[in-house]
Amino acid sequence: MSKYSNKKATVNNLLFDSQAEARRYKVLCAKEILGEIKGLERQIVYELAPAVKFDGATRKTPALRYVADFGYWEGDKRIIEDVKGVLTPAFKIKRHLMKTVLGLEVRITK
């Protein structure tokens, strides 16, 4: 069981972390079929900070990454989207870093 009571869901043999994310995927697939969006992708990984090795450490800490639920094009605008029921402190920081480090805005849907 997840810490936020999300229930996994499957659509077209694809596993989603929540039923809300699966529902949103269905909506985005329909929009793509209608030509309203294009290039729909799932689980896109963005590196916000590279791996680093701290003094005294035996190995590097992993890179800081953000994984977006969806990415697609709306006309000539790139949309990065995350389905959220709870805006966790970690998500808020990563969303902020996406904008400041990479210049990319994350759209939140519920």
Side-chain angles (χ1 to χ4, degrees), residues 74-86:
E74 225 172 41
D76 61 353
K77 185 176 182 184
R78 178 67 171 164
I79 305 297
I80 300 161
E81 186 175 301
D82 215 304
V83 179
K84 290 288 180 212
V86 177

Side-chain angles (χ1 to χ4, degrees), residues 25 28 32 37-46 68-73 78-79 81:
Y25 178 71
L28 292 173
E32 189 169 42
I37 66 169
K38 62 183 177 183
L40 178 60
E41 299 175 274
R42 295 182 57 235
Q43 302 298 303
I44 307 138
V45 179
Y46 294 92
D69 290 336
F70 305 108
Y72 53 90
W73 291 92
R78 178 67 171 164
I79 305 297
E81 186 175 301

Side-chain angles (χ1 to χ4, degrees), residues 82-96:
D82 215 304
V83 179
K84 290 288 180 212
V86 177
L87 298 179
T88 64
F91 171 75
K92 289 177 183 179
I93 290 168
K94 288 183 178 186
R95 183 178 186 219
H96 185 98

Side-chain angles (χ1 to χ4, degrees), residues 1-12:
M1 181 179 215
S2 80
K3 62 182 166 182
Y4 298 106
S5 301
N6 291 339
K7 292 182 181 155
K8 303 258 183 197
T10 304
V11 176
N12 299 336

